[in-house]
Amino acid sequence: MIRRNFLKVAGALTLGMSLSTTAMSDTVLRVGSWLPPTHAQNAVVWPTWSKWVEEATEGRVKVQMEYGLGHPKTMFDLVEDGAVDASFSYHGYVPGRFKLTQGIEQPLLGVSAEAASVAHWRVHNKYFAKAQEHDGLEVLTLFTHGPGQIHMADPVTSLADLKSKKVRLGGGVQGELGKRLGVTAVGAPAPKVYEMMQQGVIDGVFIPMGEQKSLRLKEVAKNVVALPGGMYLGSFAMFINPDFMAGLSEKDRVAIRAVSGEKLAAMAGAAWDAADAEGLIAARAEGVNVTEVATDGPMAKEFQGIVEGMDEEWIESVASRKVDAKAALEEMRSIARNYGK
């Protein structure tokens, strides 16, 4: 009897220690974000990926979100330095470091963010990864937001109306577009746009339709010009600290990579597409004047003339990267335009 009770107690202690060890062995992956929790990236993309990670690692890796970490351009450094384990950011916020990523941003691609994101990821791996623009980070995936459009306080009847207007530009290809359109460029992270428009610091912004809802631009940017296919796409990366990955078992590293890459690119792009559709609905419900320009409309033709030669300028600008940028751009567009067919 005494021996039986001893074995029961010993068994319970062993089980308790085992459970405790298991709980202690769980790894928390801290993801830093700079957009509000309601934005599609935080409300859909990260939670979906988090679920994938936890399932793929059988619960050994759990994701924890941290918000309000500052300017999005600092996310690259925060992850590289280990302040957080993973994050995402817009390449255009770090001019000079990221040039190849502007390939997907070039005007007149005319596809959804999902299609562009898949093309972005595939071409990055085939052509651009060797240039090591993301040195110090492990790239989980690349994706784009949806078509960037014109959001202004005052009506726009011609692209010439934008000349000398104070417009917030986020970097990347937007900078070149701003020069060609003659706007007065104002730099600021996207979450600051509402306040800047409300205070009259800027007259408008180039940004996707989804921000009419997520950043509440429907309250301050009452005039939107939606060009067919948009003005540009915006390039983003989701990335993780290499040391964090090295600290995981090989099994869990493989598991995390399996639910990232192209699968994550497609999901992220689709989420931003859905947000754009919701943004358009919200804008119209709020009484925003949305001008949807026809493919052969005057402003569409005006825009085509304005962006002429941008492909060649970008190809020349990345010559020092020693990659076949022309072939990459052609393949990127082919993949994007044939996606889902």
Side-chain angles (χ1 to χ4, degrees):
M1 177 69 71
I2 293 174
R3 176 176 172 77
R4 195 180 311 144
N5 287 340
F6 172 80
L7 291 174
K8 284 183 179 178
V9 172
L13 287 171
T14 301
L15 178 60
M17 290 174 66
S18 175
L19 290 172
S20 176
T21 302
T22 300
M24 288 176 66
S25 66
D26 288 347
T27 299
V28 176
L29 195 169
R30 296 165 302 130
V31 173
S33 185
W34 43 275
L35 282 170
T38 53
H39 191 282
Q41 182 69 23
N42 293 330
V44 179
V45 180
W46 283 120
T48 302
W49 184 74
S50 299
K51 182 180 178 183
W52 291 350
V53 167
E54 292 188 21
E55 290 176 348
T57 62
E58 300 175 321
R60 291 182 296 275
V61 180
K62 300 184 185 300
V63 179
Q64 175 181 300
M65 294 297 301
E66 297 181 11
Y67 301 101
L69 295 186
H71 196 293
K73 71 180 180 182
T74 66
M75 297 302 108
F76 298 103
D77 292 333
L78 288 176
V79 172
E80 190 171 351
D81 294 341
V84 289
D85 303 314
S87 188
F88 76 108
S89 195
Y90 178 59
H91 290 112
Y93 285 137
V94 191
R97 178 176 180 179
F98 301 107
K99 292 184 177 181
L100 294 171
T101 54
Q102 291 184 26
I104 197 66
E105 295 188 352
Q106 296 301 310
L108 307 179
L109 181 58
V111 300
S112 67
E114 181 180 354
S117 297
V118 170
H120 197 9
W121 176 248
R122 290 183 190 175
V123 168
H124 165 76
N125 285 299
K126 183 174 179 178
Y127 292 91
F128 299 156
K130 62 184 179 183
Q132 298 185 325
E133 288 190 333
H134 297 85
D135 188 36
L137 302 163
E138 177 171 333
V139 180
L140 292 168
T141 199
L142 301 177
F143 70 95
T144 77
H145 64 41
Q149 305 291 10
I150 303 167
H151 305 247
M152 303 295 292
D154 297 324
V156 175
T157 58
S158 165
L159 296 182
D161 294 342
L162 298 175
K163 190 170 183 180
S164 298
K165 294 288 187 181
K166 293 173 291 183
V167 178
R168 177 269 178 184
L169 302 179
V173 164
Q174 291 180 60
E176 179 60 24
L177 288 172
K179 289 179 186 177
R180 290 173 176 241
L181 289 164
V183 307
T184 299
V186 179
K192 292 289 186 182
V193 170
Y194 179 92
E195 179 184 350
M196 293 172 76
M197 288 206 67
Q198 188 180 49
Q199 295 176 353
V201 175
I202 55 175
D203 301 306
V205 58
F206 298 164
I207 210 162
M209 189 62 72
E211 315 316 336
Q212 279 283 322
K213 180 179 180 181
S214 67
L215 298 183
R216 296 163 48 213
L217 297 188
K218 60 186 180 178
E219 300 171 16
V220 290
K222 288 292 189 177
N223 296 277
V224 175
V225 174
L227 289 161
M231 302 175 72
Y232 64 96
L233 294 172
S235 173
F236 291 79
M238 295 172 69
F239 41 86
I240 195 166
N241 182 288
D243 292 334
F244 174 88
M245 290 292 277
L248 300 176
S249 67
E250 177 64 20
K251 183 178 181 180
D252 286 345
R253 286 196 295 272
V254 170
I256 289 173
R257 289 166 183 150
V259 296
S260 302
E262 185 170 321
K263 178 179 181 178
L264 180 55
M267 184 269 287
W272 285 58
D273 284 332
D276 282 348
E278 292 177 7
L280 178 59
I281 292 170
R284 285 176 170 157
E286 191 74 15
V288 175
N289 173 35
V290 181
T291 301
E292 296 194 65
V293 179
T295 304
D296 59 349
M299 270 197 279
K301 292 179 179 178
E302 190 180 1
F303 184 69
Q304 290 167 15
I306 287 170
V307 301
E308 189 174 347
M310 282 184 63
D311 286 359
E312 291 74 19
E313 288 184 10
W314 172 73
I315 291 169
E316 184 178 348
S317 75
V318 298
S320 63
R321 297 299 201 253
K322 306 299 182 184
V323 301
D324 191 342
K326 182 178 180 181
L329 187 59
E330 290 174 356
E331 188 165 334
M332 191 181 289
R333 287 174 171 167
S334 176
I335 294 169
R337 289 168 180 163
N338 288 288
Y339 180 73
K341 292 183 179 179

